[in-house]
Amino acid sequence: MSKQRSSRRRAGVRLLPFLVAPAVLALYARRFRPRLLTWGATQDEAARAYPGDELVPDADGTSTMATTLPAPPERVWPWLVQMGGDRGGWYSWDLLDHFGIPSADRITPEWQRLEEGQRLPATRDGQSWFTVARVEPNRTLVLRSDLRLPSGHSFDPEWDAFPVARMDGVWGFHLSPTADGRTRLVVRTRGQGRPRRLTRPFDLLLGEPAHFVMQTRQFHNLRTRVAAAA
């Protein structure tokens, strides 16, 4: 009898991960994921349409995160416009997205020119990049990314054939002044992956949490730099 109880106990232990995992995933999807995807944003900010949304009309993933920076938009914009792997960095976790090189801590005049169509390298070898899709000084900066899978190398959707496996998306920065002279910065992402049965699990388990970690770090570092410059 004791052997039977011991055998059932071991079987229960082996089944435990299969019973717990769905419950954990359901809790994440219902309680935590919506908060990650709208961190810091008001309901109105999350529901609003932004320039660049139209570039990924059939998005199967989106996020809207926001923060308030301690300076007006015209003093925040110079920090955003100098982003890039070969420019001021991304103000996030530099070990992860800027080859370990510290992001700029001051405004650099030669990095203040940015044009639509310009490529901003995202990797040291230059095979992955963001394309500047929308530029409206002091108001809107939208970067576009189109990646082949599984290599993660960029392609140009205007000239190259669309790969069967790919991830396309936009990363948009939208500034508006507040009544007290500060800046409301809303960051909107929209993405689409193909084939969806493969890219969807990646988005849920890695892509979205990683974006949350990197974006909140960028908010923190931008706030620190803007405050110091002020």
Side-chain angles (χ1 to χ4, degrees):
M1 186 67 68
S2 61
K3 290 183 177 180
Q4 291 179 345
R5 287 198 297 268
S6 177
S7 178
R8 287 197 296 269
R9 189 179 301 112
R10 288 195 297 269
V13 170
R14 288 194 294 269
L15 288 173
L16 187 60
F18 299 97
L19 299 175
V20 172
V24 172
L25 290 175
L27 179 64
Y28 168 73
R30 295 180 181 180
R31 294 290 300 275
F32 296 104
R33 182 171 176 264
R35 297 182 184 183
L36 294 186
L37 297 180
T38 58
W39 187 92
T42 65
Q43 289 185 346
D44 178 65
E45 288 169 337
R48 190 182 309 167
Y50 294 93
D53 286 358
E54 74 283 357
L55 297 174
V56 189
D58 300 318
D60 41 39
T62 184
S63 70
T64 308
M65 301 172 64
T67 191
T68 300
L69 301 176
E74 59 269 20
R75 293 171 65 179
V76 172
W77 179 257
W79 293 100
L80 297 180
V81 80
Q82 68 179 19
M83 290 191 301
D86 60 348
R87 294 156 61 91
W90 308 102
Y91 312 118
S92 188
W93 293 101
D94 294 319
L95 284 175
L96 299 178
D97 68 1
H98 198 222
F99 334 123
I101 302 171
S103 293
D105 59 3
R106 66 194 65 190
I107 302 299
T108 303
E110 56 263 36
W111 292 334
Q112 292 303 299
R113 184 186 179 96
L114 201 62
E115 299 177 347
E116 292 187 7
Q118 185 173 340
R119 292 180 178 179
L120 305 178
T123 57
R124 191 184 290 275
D125 61 10
Q127 295 195 67
S128 300
W129 63 79
F130 289 97
T131 301
V132 180
R134 299 284 185 273
V135 179
E136 188 174 350
N138 303 327
R139 294 190 62 180
T140 293
L141 172 61
V142 179
L143 307 179
R144 178 165 183 158
S145 174
D146 300 277
L147 301 175
R148 302 177 186 272
L149 298 179
S151 70
H153 295 165
S154 294
F155 68 95
D156 188 335
E158 293 189 7
W159 299 99
D160 299 329
F162 278 76
V164 174
R166 66 183 190 275
M167 294 186 71
D168 312 313
V170 292
W171 186 22
F173 298 79
H174 308 281
L175 297 79
S176 60
T178 64
D180 59 356
R182 298 185 295 172
T183 295
R184 190 67 176 160
L185 173 61
V186 178
V187 173
R188 163 68 57 84
T189 67
R190 287 172 63 82
Q192 181 187 79
R194 294 293 182 269
R196 193 57 182 152
R197 67 182 182 277
L198 298 179
T199 59
R200 183 60 173 170
F202 173 85
D203 286 344
L204 290 175
L205 299 177
L206 182 60
E208 291 174 353
H211 173 66
F212 173 82
V213 169
M214 301 301 285
Q215 188 59 63
T216 53
R217 180 65 175 179
Q218 186 191 62
F219 281 160
H220 168 78
N221 286 339
L222 279 172
R223 194 179 305 112
T224 300
R225 284 163 168 77
V226 169

